[in-house]
Amino acid sequence: MDVKRAPYRVIQWATGAMGKSCLRAVIDRPDMELAGLYVYSQSKAGKDAGEIARREATGVLATNSIDDILNIDADLVIHAARIGQTHTEHDDDIIALLKSGKNVLSINGNTFSPNWPRERQERLQAACLEGGVSFAGAGLNPGFAAENLLVTATSVCSHVESVSISETVLTDQIASPEYVFDLLGFGKEVGTIDLNADDWGPAQTLNDMFEDVVASVAHSLGWTLDGIERRHRMLPSGRDLEIRAGKIAKGTANHIDWRWYGVKDGAEKVALKIAWAMNDEHVQGADHDLWQIAVKGVPDVSVAFGVQRPEDYPGRTSAEQLAVAGSVVNAIQTLVNAPAGLLTSPITTPFAASEAAQE
């Protein structure tokens, strides 16, 4: 197999908060060349990528034409479209990119293809083979937290009984009302939505994404699960809240617990718990880390893991957004040089200074 070496020609797909973070990371890396930029907004089309990313001009102009993107010669597309009402909402676009001969790296799940419905596996695998490229997911969670960090923590154990990971994310700085209230479900009357059913779009999307994570961890640890149970819940706000996206009325949801449990022989083997919180009202302790990892075994293991913005880092990009971008760009070399087909997580690779950066 021929090994492709830097610089890698990269297309950025979408420029929401996460997409912009990835775009900046590509522009700033000496081992990468921005080859194209896809935007959904007509107002961004025609703008230089540097203007959108708050960087110097790049000479690459944003386009909202998929045909323009398909015709660009590039090694890889960072697919950072906003999560949709269904997890497969963007599959047609991804398949077109793969068939055009571009590797695709998704930041929204897509980390463990053995857990997907067979029809979806076959469609995406066929597109990879037709284009001679690969498709995978990378990011913080899904992508790194459980599939890499949690699994690595078990390396010191001679026996593992069960594992769990808890994530707490404060979401009050998300600006989009549509995203916060319609897609994520904040501000809704508690009890009016069954989060554990598949008939509500956001729950369906998140179940598809994060049940892959549970299945991936179980696979890495050699467990064949009997099933994955959901125990999601919404919690009400004790007062009226003013957040960046708007208002949350007292008594409506200001905290959402997403909880998945991988079960084998009646025992919980893998627990994944994600708390989305608009404030600390329902968070245990105001000073919390992003992730808490616990391994019950010989020995027991606990890991508290967080990310922080560097001092004096410009702009409003959060530490989590910076970390997503880092995990994505560090995975590009692996995906570009992988055999054609679906690549399962973990593919996150450590940071390595490029030759260009050392010259």
Side-chain angles (χ1 to χ4, degrees):
M1 180 182 70
D2 293 335
V3 176
K4 166 72 178 180
R5 301 193 182 279
Y8 303 105
R9 286 178 54 80
V10 178
I11 294 171
Q12 175 61 44
W13 183 287
T15 56
M18 291 298 188
K20 282 183 184 176
S21 298
C22 295
L23 175 60
R24 294 184 188 109
V26 171
I27 292 173
D28 293 345
R29 293 269 298 221
D31 58 341
M32 293 180 188
E33 176 187 347
L34 183 67
L37 176 61
Y38 180 80
V39 293
Y40 289 96
S41 169
Q42 180 64 43
S43 64
K44 292 180 181 178
K47 289 186 176 181
D48 189 281
E51 179 183 354
I52 295 173
R54 297 185 179 179
R55 294 292 190 266
E56 297 295 325
T58 64
V60 175
L61 302 183
T63 179
N64 59 358
S65 167
I66 295 178
D67 287 339
D68 287 348
I69 296 297
L70 295 178
N71 289 324
I72 294 173
D73 178 23
D75 297 306
L76 180 138
V77 178
I78 299 173
H79 194 270
R82 178 181 292 176
I83 60 174
Q85 288 290 330
T86 65
H87 188 44
T88 60
E89 184 173 306
H90 301 292
D91 278 6
D92 287 346
D93 290 340
I94 291 170
I95 286 170
L97 292 167
L98 293 168
K99 287 182 176 180
S100 74
K102 299 170 184 62
N103 297 282
V104 177
L105 191 58
S106 168
I107 71 165
N108 293 322
N110 298 303
T111 53
F112 193 63
S113 59
N115 198 50
W116 303 349
R118 181 175 297 276
E119 181 183 357
R120 185 171 191 244
Q121 288 185 51
E122 291 175 348
R123 286 188 71 211
L124 287 162
Q125 176 74 358
C128 288
L129 297 180
E130 181 174 332
V133 291
S134 299
F135 175 52
L140 273 186
N141 188 21
F144 171 74
E147 298 97 319
N148 287 273
L149 190 60
L150 171 58
V151 170
T152 300
T154 68
S155 299
V156 299
C157 300
S158 59
H159 172 73
V160 175
E161 187 65 30
S162 63
V163 296
S164 71
I165 182 167
S166 301
E167 174 181 304
T168 302
V169 182
L170 293 178
T171 51
D172 58 318
Q173 291 304 306
I174 300 176
S176 168
E178 177 188 9
Y179 191 61
V180 167
F181 300 114
D182 296 336
L183 190 60
L184 300 186
F186 287 105
K188 296 190 181 299
E189 292 289 340
V190 175
T192 60
I193 295 173
D194 182 3
L195 296 185
N196 297 294
D198 268 336
D199 55 358
W200 188 48
Q204 181 191 81
T205 297
L206 291 169
N207 288 333
D208 285 344
M209 289 174 59
F210 288 104
E211 287 176 10
D212 279 0
V213 174
V214 173
S216 175
V217 170
H219 175 77
S220 294
L221 299 182
W223 295 328
T224 300
L225 298 176
D226 297 326
I228 298 174
E229 298 179 0
R230 307 163 185 169
R231 302 174 200 167
H232 312 319
R233 63 176 183 170
M234 287 180 168
L235 298 175
S237 178
R239 59 184 175 86
D240 292 340
L241 292 179
E242 293 277 352
I243 59 172
R244 192 175 177 196
K247 297 180 180 180
I248 292 179
K250 178 180 178 180
T252 64
N254 75 327
H255 181 110
I256 303 175
D257 279 333
W258 300 98
R259 299 176 297 182
W260 296 268
Y261 297 87
V263 178
K264 178 177 174 60
D265 298 328
E268 295 171 2
K269 304 296 286 184
V270 182
L272 172 59
K273 309 170 188 177
I274 301 174
W276 289 348
M278 284 297 174
N279 58 16
D280 283 332
E281 181 178 358
H282 300 292
V283 177
Q284 299 300 311
D287 185 17
H288 54 75
D289 293 289
L290 179 58
W291 293 310
Q292 296 284 343
I293 287 172
V295 179
K296 182 175 176 58
V298 181
D300 290 342
V301 180
S302 62
V303 179
F305 184 88
V307 292
Q308 296 81 36
R309 278 172 52 92
E311 285 189 30
D312 302 322
Y313 191 86
R316 302 179 63 175
T317 307
S318 71
E320 291 78 15
Q321 290 164 353
L322 293 172
V324 168
S327 65
V328 166
V329 294
N330 287 330
I332 286 176
Q333 178 178 342
T334 298
L335 186 58
V336 167
N337 289 303
L342 302 175
L343 187 62
T344 60
S345 187
I347 65 164
T348 302
T349 54
F351 168 79
S354 68
E355 294 179 4
Q358 298 175 38
E359 292 177 353

